[in-house]
Amino acid sequence: MIDLRLLREDPDRVRASQRARGEDVALVDALLSADERRRSSGVRFDELRNEQRSLGKLIPKASAEEKAELLKQAGQLAGDVKAADAERDAADAETQELLLRLGNLVHPDVPVGGEEDFVTLETHGTIRDFGAEGFEPKDHLELGQLLGAIDVERGAKVSGSRFYFLTGVGALLELALVNAAIAQATAAGFTPMLTPALVRPQSMAGTGFLGQAAQDVYHLDKDDLYLVGTSEVPLAAYHMDEIIDAERLPMRYAGFSPCFRREAGSHGKDTKGIFRVHQFDKVEMFSYVHPDDSEAEHQRLLEWEKQWLTSLELPFRVIDVATGDLGSSAARKFDCEAWIPTQGKYRELTSTSDCTEFQSRRLSIRLREGKQVRPLATLNGTLCAVPRTIVAILENHQQADGSVRVPEVLRPYLGGREVLEPTAK
């Protein structure tokens, strides 16, 4: 959530952020009104309580006649205090409810617009000309079937659409990717973490995934637990309700977990293969930093993502995501999109978001700096979302006979294998 003091001091900035996101601007004025009622009702309650205490001190010393009148006043005052307390609680609850609906303040440099209004910051690698090489590229599903690596038919039979099996070298390729990604993250100073896939509502809400993203989340009603769509959620909640000494920052974690997404609203999109699925594994980077260092950390996370994609020898571009395509927690987000030959376009493989103090306020995670205690900043960045990375590797490194060249960074994790060979023609 944002800082209420900032809202009071500069409501136009918050209105502009909501407008840029394409969100409800009227929410800002509703929140200002609720906050004013919360504060005024709090003052009223305190005044009545002080009056009640003062009256309580007079009663024991009063004469019998005076005591009767004071007791009458005390009874009426008790009712007023109870009413003021209820009014204060109601205003506070309304303020918190509205505050939780408000997105993070958008960074001033973020391009304004919708999904297609991003700005391309840089491109890397060379897109292969398969025509010049004399063959038509196969898509990842055909390659995966030739290699005995992907089985979507049995995935659908067992679990339904958008589920899959990774088999043989497909399973080995996932393990290679995960191990290589964790090795890079560990070398960069991240603490590797295996995280829970089920979290409590306060963990999911605290990271901002029960707002605009709620329709994409799986909920277990009987247990009131949520399946995570990313290990960002348990990693963010890991230090919930804690105060961290500033000297310990930055703290960086690399979480590996299964991820579950309903993909609501994606009907008809990427239905073939394993590009858009309901369950997948991912290595996620997560940072806790001093608020003054969040922008610099955001660039560092982006550099680690670029290092990873470069090591996989993939052509990709970096985009500055537009305001209307930001998650509610993100002040700014960069995506790395790899070239997918059979689609003829770049598709998102990794993203990194600067969430500033938004999540830490919701999760009550603070830093201690001398005598001052204040919210810290959190950031997240995908290192390896496994299925999409497999898609990009198979399509970009395929050869005319259906085999796939293994990037050098993965070979030590595949027993030195340089090429994945078809098992079926």
Side-chain angles (χ1 to χ4, degrees):
M1 62 182 71
I2 68 167
D3 186 352
L4 269 175
R5 183 173 57 184
L6 187 151
L7 174 72
R8 297 183 207 114
E9 293 174 353
D10 195 357
D12 285 340
R13 180 183 171 192
V14 185
R15 291 188 187 99
S17 179
Q18 283 290 97
R19 192 175 298 111
R21 284 179 173 276
E23 299 289 339
D24 184 9
V25 178
L27 180 61
V28 177
D29 293 307
L31 179 53
L32 283 168
S33 176
D35 179 50
E36 175 56 34
R37 289 196 302 277
R38 179 185 68 87
R39 290 188 293 153
S40 61
S41 62
V43 170
R44 172 66 175 158
F45 173 79
D46 290 340
E47 289 174 345
L48 289 170
R49 281 289 290 144
N50 287 334
E51 189 177 341
Q52 191 179 42
R53 290 190 190 98
S54 298
L55 191 62
K57 292 177 182 178
L58 294 176
I59 292 173
K61 304 173 184 178
S63 65
E65 185 178 332
E66 291 173 332
K67 186 175 291 187
E69 178 60 30
L70 290 174
L71 286 172
K72 181 180 176 182
Q73 291 179 29
Q76 182 177 347
L77 195 55
D80 292 342
V81 168
K82 185 176 181 181
D85 190 26
E87 183 181 351
R88 181 188 62 172
D89 288 347
D92 185 61
E94 183 183 359
T95 300
Q96 290 302 311
E97 189 271 330
L98 292 171
L99 190 56
L100 288 172
R101 287 168 52 192
L102 201 64
N104 199 357
L105 290 179
V106 173
H107 189 284
D109 293 340
V110 175
V112 176
E115 185 177 355
E116 300 302 321
D117 295 310
F118 61 84
V119 171
T120 301
L121 301 177
E122 51 192 279
T123 58
H124 297 264
T126 302
I127 294 173
R128 285 174 66 184
D129 184 346
F130 286 95
E133 295 181 35
F135 72 99
E136 186 75 18
K138 299 176 176 64
D139 67 34
H140 75 275
L141 183 56
E142 184 178 358
L143 289 163
Q145 291 168 338
L146 284 172
L147 296 169
I150 301 171
D151 191 335
V152 294
E153 291 182 1
R154 290 186 177 90
K157 178 179 71 174
V158 171
S159 302
S161 63
R162 299 187 191 267
F163 288 93
Y164 61 97
F165 284 87
L166 291 180
T167 58
V169 293
L172 295 176
L173 184 54
E174 158 149 354
L175 295 172
L177 284 165
V178 170
N179 277 288
I182 289 292
Q184 178 189 303
T186 303
F190 286 80
T191 299
M193 303 273 277
L194 297 177
T195 63
L198 288 165
V199 298
R200 292 175 171 175
Q202 56 264 46
S203 299
M204 190 67 81
T207 42
F209 283 93
L210 293 186
Q212 63 183 183
Q215 65 173 353
D216 220 20
V217 174
Y218 286 103
H219 182 231
L220 281 64
D221 292 325
K222 186 176 180 180
D223 306 287
D224 197 18
L225 292 171
Y226 289 90
L227 284 165
V228 300
T230 165
S231 60
E232 172 193 344
V233 176
L235 291 174
Y238 186 64
H239 290 292
M240 181 168 54
D241 298 323
E242 294 181 20
I243 298 176
I244 297 165
D245 289 331
E247 293 76 15
R248 294 178 60 193
L249 301 177
M251 296 191 304
R252 301 186 178 108
Y253 301 112
F256 172 69
S257 77
C259 305
F260 303 88
R261 300 185 183 181
R262 296 183 64 234
E263 292 294 347
S266 65
H267 302 293
K269 295 180 181 178
D270 302 309
T271 55
K272 187 177 182 181
I274 62 171
F275 191 85
R276 190 184 297 274
V277 291
H278 290 307
Q279 178 183 342
F280 61 96
D281 295 326
K282 180 157 68 86
V283 177
E284 180 82 1
M285 300 179 289
F286 196 88
S287 299
Y288 295 86
V289 303
H290 192 286
D292 294 345
D293 195 36
S294 71
E295 288 191 40
E297 183 72 2
H298 201 195
Q299 290 295 330
R300 286 189 283 266
L301 288 169
L302 178 59
E303 287 302 316
W304 283 314
E305 291 180 348
K306 288 159 57 179
Q307 175 189 339
W308 171 245
L309 296 179
T310 299
S311 74
L312 295 177
E313 304 167 45
L314 296 173
F316 67 95
R317 71 180 180 186
V318 180
I319 67 169
D320 198 350
V321 176
T323 54
D325 202 27
L326 292 175
S328 64
S329 297
R332 193 175 195 181
K333 181 170 77 163
F334 302 123
D335 283 357
C336 291
E337 301 182 326
W339 179 258
I340 307 299
T342 62
Q343 296 185 22
K345 57 185 176 182
Y346 290 99
R347 300 299 303 272
E348 178 193 337
L349 238 61
T350 73
S351 67
T352 176
S353 297
D354 181 0
C355 298
T356 59
E357 301 170 22
F358 187 84
Q359 292 177 331
S360 67
R361 289 182 182 277
R362 296 163 76 105
L363 293 165
S364 189
I365 309 170
R366 294 164 291 167
L367 68 89
R368 180 184 286 108
E369 196 170 23
K371 294 183 179 180
Q372 183 185 24
V373 174
R374 58 176 294 191
L376 46 68
T378 62
L379 302 95
N380 63 80
T382 312
L383 192 53
C384 181
V386 173
R388 290 192 177 195
T389 307
I390 289 177
V391 169
I393 287 172
L394 295 185
E395 293 209 11
N396 281 283
H397 296 317
Q398 64 179 291
Q399 301 181 108
D401 63 355
S403 63
V404 174
R405 186 179 63 82
V406 177
E408 285 191 22
V409 71
L410 298 181
R411 292 175 188 175
Y413 305 97
L414 284 166
R417 195 177 323 203
E418 298 182 6
V419 177
L420 305 180
E421 300 284 356
T423 59
K425 297 293 183 183

Coordinates of all heavy atoms in Angstrom, one line a residue, residues 317-356:
R317 N 15.0 -8.9 -26.4 CA 14.9 -7.5 -26.2 C 14.4 -7.2 -24.8 O 13.8 -8.0 -24.2 CB 14.0 -6.8 -27.3 CG 12.5 -7.1 -27.0 CD 11.6 -6.5 -28.1 NE 10.2 -6.7 -27.9 CZ 9.2 -6.4 -28.7 NH1 9.5 -5.7 -29.8 NH2 8.0 -6.7 -28.4
V318 N 14.7 -6.0 -24.4 CA 14.3 -5.5 -23.1 C 13.3 -4.4 -23.3 O 13.6 -3.4 -24.1 CB 15.5 -4.9 -22.2 CG1 15.0 -4.4 -20.9 CG2 16.6 -6.0 -22.1
I319 N 12.2 -4.5 -22.6 CA 11.1 -3.4 -22.8 C 10.8 -2.8 -21.4 O 10.9 -3.5 -20.4 CB 9.9 -3.9 -23.4 CG1 9.1 -5.0 -22.5 CG2 10.2 -4.5 -24.8 CD1 7.7 -5.3 -23.0
D320 N 10.4 -1.5 -21.5 CA 9.9 -0.8 -20.3 C 8.4 -0.9 -20.4 O 7.8 -0.3 -21.3 CB 10.4 0.7 -20.4 CG 10.3 1.4 -19.1 OD1 9.7 0.9 -18.1 OD2 10.9 2.5 -19.0
V321 N 7.8 -1.7 -19.5 CA 6.4 -2.0 -19.6 C 5.6 -0.7 -19.3 O 5.9 0.0 -18.4 CB 6.0 -3.1 -18.6 CG1 4.5 -3.4 -18.6 CG2 6.8 -4.4 -19.0
A322 N 4.5 -0.5 -20.1 CA 3.6 0.7 -19.9 C 2.8 0.6 -18.7 O 2.5 -0.5 -18.1 CB 2.8 0.9 -21.2
T323 N 2.3 1.8 -18.3 CA 1.6 1.9 -17.0 C 0.4 1.0 -16.9 O 0.1 0.4 -15.8 CB 1.1 3.3 -16.8 OG1 0.3 3.7 -18.0 CG2 2.3 4.3 -16.6
G324 N -0.4 0.8 -18.0 CA -1.6 0.0 -17.9 C -1.4 -1.5 -17.9 O -2.3 -2.2 -17.7
D325 N -0.1 -1.9 -18.0 CA 0.2 -3.3 -18.0 C 1.1 -3.7 -16.8 O 1.6 -4.8 -16.7 CB 1.0 -3.6 -19.3 CG 1.0 -5.1 -19.7 OD1 0.0 -5.8 -19.3 OD2 1.9 -5.6 -20.3
L326 N 1.2 -2.7 -15.8 CA 1.9 -3.0 -14.6 C 1.0 -3.8 -13.6 O -0.2 -3.5 -13.6 CB 2.3 -1.7 -13.9 CG 3.4 -0.9 -14.6 CD1 3.6 0.4 -13.8 CD2 4.7 -1.6 -14.7
G327 N 1.5 -4.7 -12.8 CA 0.8 -5.2 -11.7 C 0.6 -4.2 -10.7 O 1.3 -3.1 -10.6
S328 N -0.4 -4.4 -9.8 CA -0.7 -3.3 -8.8 C 0.5 -3.0 -7.9 O 0.6 -1.9 -7.4 CB -1.9 -3.8 -8.0 OG -1.6 -4.9 -7.2
S329 N 1.4 -4.0 -7.6 CA 2.5 -3.7 -6.7 C 3.6 -3.0 -7.3 O 4.5 -2.4 -6.6 CB 3.0 -5.1 -6.1 OG 2.0 -5.7 -5.4
A330 N 3.7 -3.0 -8.6 CA 4.9 -2.6 -9.3 C 4.9 -1.1 -9.6 O 3.9 -0.6 -10.1 CB 5.2 -3.3 -10.6
A331 N 6.0 -0.4 -9.2 CA 6.1 1.0 -9.6 C 6.7 1.1 -11.0 O 6.4 2.1 -11.8 CB 7.0 1.8 -8.6
R332 N 7.5 0.1 -11.4 CA 8.1 0.0 -12.7 C 8.5 -1.4 -13.0 O 8.8 -2.2 -12.1 CB 9.3 0.9 -12.8 CG 9.8 1.1 -14.2 CD 11.0 2.1 -14.3 NE 11.3 2.5 -15.6 CZ 12.2 3.4 -16.0 NH1 13.0 3.9 -15.1 NH2 12.4 3.8 -17.3
K333 N 8.4 -1.8 -14.3 CA 8.7 -3.2 -14.6 C 9.4 -3.3 -15.9 O 9.0 -2.6 -16.9 CB 7.4 -4.1 -14.7 CG 7.7 -5.5 -15.0 CD 6.4 -6.4 -14.8 CE 5.4 -6.2 -15.9 NZ 4.4 -7.3 -16.0
F334 N 10.4 -4.1 -16.0 CA 11.2 -4.3 -17.2 C 10.9 -5.8 -17.6 O 11.0 -6.7 -16.7 CB 12.7 -4.1 -17.1 CG 13.1 -2.7 -16.7 CD1 13.8 -2.5 -15.5 CD2 12.7 -1.6 -17.4 CE1 14.2 -1.2 -15.2 CE2 13.0 -0.3 -17.1 CZ 13.8 -0.1 -15.9
D335 N 10.6 -6.1 -18.9 CA 10.5 -7.4 -19.4 C 11.6 -7.7 -20.3 O 12.0 -6.9 -21.1 CB 9.2 -7.7 -20.1 CG 8.0 -7.8 -19.2 OD1 8.2 -7.8 -18.0 OD2 6.8 -7.9 -19.7
C336 N 12.1 -9.0 -20.3 CA 13.0 -9.5 -21.3 C 12.2 -10.5 -22.1 O 11.7 -11.4 -21.6 CB 14.2 -10.2 -20.7 SG 15.4 -9.1 -19.8
E337 N 12.1 -10.2 -23.4 CA 11.3 -11.0 -24.3 C 12.3 -11.7 -25.3 O 13.0 -11.0 -26.0 CB 10.3 -10.1 -25.1 CG 9.4 -9.4 -24.2 CD 8.3 -8.6 -25.0 OE1 8.7 -8.0 -26.1 OE2 7.2 -8.4 -24.5
A338 N 12.2 -13.0 -25.4 CA 13.0 -13.8 -26.3 C 12.3 -13.9 -27.7 O 11.0 -13.9 -27.7 CB 13.3 -15.1 -25.8
W339 N 13.0 -14.0 -28.7 CA 12.5 -14.2 -30.1 C 12.0 -15.7 -30.2 O 12.8 -16.6 -29.9 CB 13.5 -13.9 -31.1 CG 13.1 -14.1 -32.5 CD1 13.3 -15.1 -33.4 CD2 12.2 -13.2 -33.3 NE1 12.7 -14.9 -34.6 CE2 12.0 -13.8 -34.6 CE3 11.6 -12.0 -33.0 CZ2 11.2 -13.2 -35.5 CZ3 10.8 -11.4 -33.9 CH2 10.6 -11.9 -35.2
I340 N 10.8 -15.8 -30.7 CA 10.2 -17.2 -30.9 C 10.0 -17.3 -32.4 O 9.1 -16.7 -33.0 CB 8.9 -17.4 -30.2 CG1 9.0 -17.0 -28.7 CG2 8.4 -18.8 -30.4 CD1 10.0 -17.9 -27.9
P341 N 10.9 -18.1 -33.1 CA 10.9 -18.1 -34.5 C 9.6 -18.4 -35.2 O 9.2 -17.8 -36.2 CB 12.0 -19.2 -34.9 CG 12.9 -19.1 -33.7 CD 12.0 -18.9 -32.5
T342 N 8.9 -19.4 -34.7 CA 7.7 -19.8 -35.4 C 6.5 -18.9 -35.2 O 5.5 -18.9 -35.9 CB 7.2 -21.3 -35.0 OG1 7.0 -21.3 -33.6 CG2 8.3 -22.3 -35.4
Q343 N 6.6 -18.0 -34.2 CA 5.6 -17.0 -34.0 C 6.0 -15.7 -34.6 O 5.2 -14.8 -34.8 CB 5.4 -16.7 -32.4 CG 4.8 -17.9 -31.7 CD 4.5 -17.6 -30.3 OE1 4.3 -16.5 -29.9 NE2 4.4 -18.7 -29.4
G344 N 7.3 -15.6 -35.0 CA 7.8 -14.4 -35.7 C 7.7 -13.1 -34.8 O 7.6 -12.0 -35.3
K345 N 7.9 -13.3 -33.5 CA 7.8 -12.1 -32.6 C 8.5 -12.5 -31.3 O 8.8 -13.6 -31.0 CB 6.4 -11.7 -32.3 CG 5.5 -12.8 -31.8 CD 4.0 -12.2 -31.7 CE 3.1 -13.3 -31.2 NZ 1.7 -12.8 -31.2
Y346 N 8.7 -11.4 -30.5 CA 9.3 -11.5 -29.2 C 8.2 -11.8 -28.2 O 7.1 -11.3 -28.2 CB 10.0 -10.2 -28.8 CG 11.3 -9.9 -29.5 CD1 11.3 -9.0 -30.6 CD2 12.5 -10.5 -29.2 CE1 12.5 -8.7 -31.3 CE2 13.7 -10.2 -29.8 CZ 13.6 -9.3 -30.9 OH 14.8 -9.0 -31.6
R347 N 8.5 -12.7 -27.2 CA 7.6 -13.1 -26.2 C 8.3 -13.0 -24.8 O 9.5 -13.4 -24.7 CB 7.0 -14.5 -26.4 CG 6.3 -14.7 -27.7 CD 5.1 -13.8 -27.9 NE 4.1 -13.9 -26.8 CZ 3.1 -14.8 -26.8 NH1 2.9 -15.6 -27.8 NH2 2.3 -14.8 -25.8
E348 N 7.5 -12.6 -23.8 CA 8.1 -12.5 -22.5 C 8.7 -13.8 -21.9 O 8.0 -14.8 -21.9 CB 7.0 -12.0 -21.5 CG 7.5 -11.8 -20.1 CD 6.4 -11.6 -19.1 OE1 5.3 -11.2 -19.5 OE2 6.6 -11.9 -17.9
L349 N 9.9 -13.7 -21.4 CA 10.6 -14.8 -20.8 C 10.8 -14.5 -19.3 O 10.7 -15.3 -18.4 CB 11.9 -15.2 -21.5 CG 12.0 -16.6 -22.0 CD1 10.9 -16.9 -23.0 CD2 13.3 -16.9 -22.6
T350 N 11.3 -13.2 -19.1 CA 11.5 -12.8 -17.7 C 10.9 -11.4 -17.5 O 10.7 -10.7 -18.4 CB 13.0 -12.8 -17.3 OG1 13.6 -11.7 -18.0 CG2 13.7 -14.1 -17.8
S351 N 10.7 -11.1 -16.2 CA 10.3 -9.7 -15.9 C 10.9 -9.4 -14.5 O 11.2 -10.3 -13.7 CB 8.8 -9.5 -15.9 OG 8.2 -10.3 -14.8
T352 N 11.1 -8.1 -14.3 CA 11.6 -7.6 -13.0 C 10.9 -6.4 -12.6 O 10.7 -5.5 -13.4 CB 13.1 -7.4 -12.9 OG1 13.5 -6.9 -11.7 CG2 13.6 -6.4 -14.0
S353 N 10.4 -6.3 -11.3 CA 9.5 -5.2 -10.9 C 10.1 -4.6 -9.6 O 10.6 -5.3 -8.7 CB 8.1 -5.7 -10.5 OG 7.5 -6.3 -11.7
D354 N 10.1 -3.3 -9.6 CA 10.4 -2.5 -8.4 C 9.1 -2.2 -7.7 O 8.3 -1.4 -8.2 CB 11.2 -1.2 -8.8 CG 11.6 -0.4 -7.6 OD1 11.3 -0.8 -6.4 OD2 12.2 0.7 -7.8
C355 N 8.9 -2.8 -6.5 CA 7.7 -2.6 -5.8 C 7.8 -1.6 -4.7 O 6.9 -1.4 -3.9 CB 7.2 -4.0 -5.2 SG 6.8 -5.2 -6.4
T356 N 9.0 -0.9 -4.7 CA 9.3 0.1 -3.7 C 8.8 -0.3 -2.3 O 9.1 -1.4 -1.9 CB 8.7 1.5 -4.1 OG1 7.2 1.4 -4.2 CG2 9.2 2.0 -5.4

